[in-house]
Amino acid sequence: MIYCVEDDNGIRELVIYTLIASGFEAKGFAKPEDFWAGMGNSKPELILLDIMLPGEDGISILKKLRSHPGTTDIPVIMATAKGTEYDKVIGLDLGADDYLAKPFGMMEMVSRVKAVLRRSNPKAADKLTVGDIEIDRLRHKVTVNGTEVFLTLKEYELLMLFCENLGIVFSRDKLLEKVWGLNYTGETRTVDVHIGTLRTKLGVSGELIETVRGVGYRMEGRQ
């Protein structure tokens, strides 16, 4: 679960939507008091924290998080207004794990979240889970609902690419470039064949790989 503390409704809703589309669980809070109430119920894996908030600013919240034994290890990414280098430095000095300068792109935000989560929990980075699909990177093993699925190398690489880029649409040419390499001279039909066999092997979970008519393919994080 990722918590987003942001008083701008538009930004908060877009961040939550993007995180969920990227396969995360996420919850938003407009006010610091609502955030603290949420923390009392359950603790998140990561917090996206705006500095400028009504009542209690993000720096004050960060200080409290880092001073309490139960929350000191929760990763925090601070969101700062562009050009406010002082706030940025203060946040990092107080223990923020990263920062985003507003306005920031949603894909940059997702990338920063993934990077911070990998650093904070390196063992978890060895496994990637989307829906009922789990990929064990170290063992090069894929399971669906706990049952191992045997994939060819190209099927495995396609699945990894989709799972690491949820919601992103890849054209057939881009998939050929990413998985088969720039020197591959075959036809794009190869992609369609491999997508078809991959979907079949994944069973119901294969429905997560969607065809984008006239463009290519993408993978969504929800069934």
Side-chain angles (χ1 to χ4, degrees):
M1 174 65 75
I2 296 173
Y3 284 174
C4 173
V5 192
E6 168 63 65
D7 62 323
D8 185 302
N9 293 337
I11 294 175
R12 187 179 65 255
E13 289 173 5
L14 182 56
V15 166
I16 297 301
Y17 174 83
T18 303
L19 288 171
I20 291 174
S22 299
F24 297 101
E25 290 183 85
K27 186 179 294 185
F29 302 93
K31 300 176 182 178
E33 54 264 36
D34 295 335
F35 163 71
W36 289 119
M39 289 292 289
N41 294 326
S42 63
K43 292 182 175 61
E45 295 176 80
L46 180 143
I47 299 168
L48 285 166
L49 180 61
D50 189 31
I51 284 185
M52 300 298 293
L53 294 166
E56 182 179 18
D57 65 40
I59 295 295
S60 174
I61 292 174
L62 179 62
K63 286 181 180 178
K64 290 181 181 179
L65 290 169
R66 290 295 176 251
S67 64
H68 193 283
T71 59
T72 188
D73 292 330
I74 298 176
V76 176
I77 299 178
M78 305 292 291
T80 69
K82 191 174 183 179
T84 55
E85 187 173 355
Y86 176 76
D87 287 338
K88 196 182 301 179
V89 171
I90 292 296
L92 292 172
D93 284 347
L94 289 173
D97 295 88
D98 202 352
Y99 67 87
L100 285 163
K102 291 183 175 180
F104 52 83
M106 290 299 103
M107 289 304 100
E108 178 191 4
M109 180 267 295
V110 170
S111 178
R112 296 288 187 93
V113 165
K114 289 180 178 178
V116 169
L117 287 174
R118 281 197 299 269
R119 291 200 301 268
S120 64
N121 189 3
K123 287 186 178 180
D126 294 338
K127 292 189 177 181
L128 180 62
T129 302
V130 178
D132 294 325
I133 303 169
E134 181 176 277
I135 302 174
D136 186 327
R137 291 184 172 96
L138 293 181
R139 299 171 65 192
H140 213 269
K141 178 180 177 181
V142 177
T143 57
V144 178
N145 271 324
T147 301
E148 186 171 1
V149 175
F150 297 95
L151 304 179
T152 66
L153 177 60
K154 295 306 181 187
E155 289 166 352
Y156 179 86
E157 291 177 349
L158 279 170
L159 181 61
M160 280 290 296
L161 181 64
F162 284 131
C163 287
E164 290 178 338
N165 298 275
L166 293 176
I168 304 299
V169 179
F170 290 95
S171 67
R172 290 170 177 80
D173 287 334
K174 181 58 69 174
L175 289 171
L176 281 175
E177 176 188 326
K178 293 280 188 182
V179 176
W180 279 265
L182 291 171
N183 295 324
Y184 181 76
T185 57
E187 299 179 356
T188 56
R189 175 65 182 160
T190 300
V191 172
D192 298 325
V193 171
H194 280 76
I195 293 290
T197 57
L198 177 58
R199 282 171 168 163
T200 299
K201 290 181 180 181
L202 294 176
V204 175
S205 293
E207 295 175 6
L208 292 173
I209 303 174
E210 300 179 351
T211 301
V212 181
R213 192 174 297 277
V215 183
Y217 300 94
R218 70 174 167 221
M219 189 171 196
E220 294 295 347
R222 291 289 183 268
Q223 285 179 286

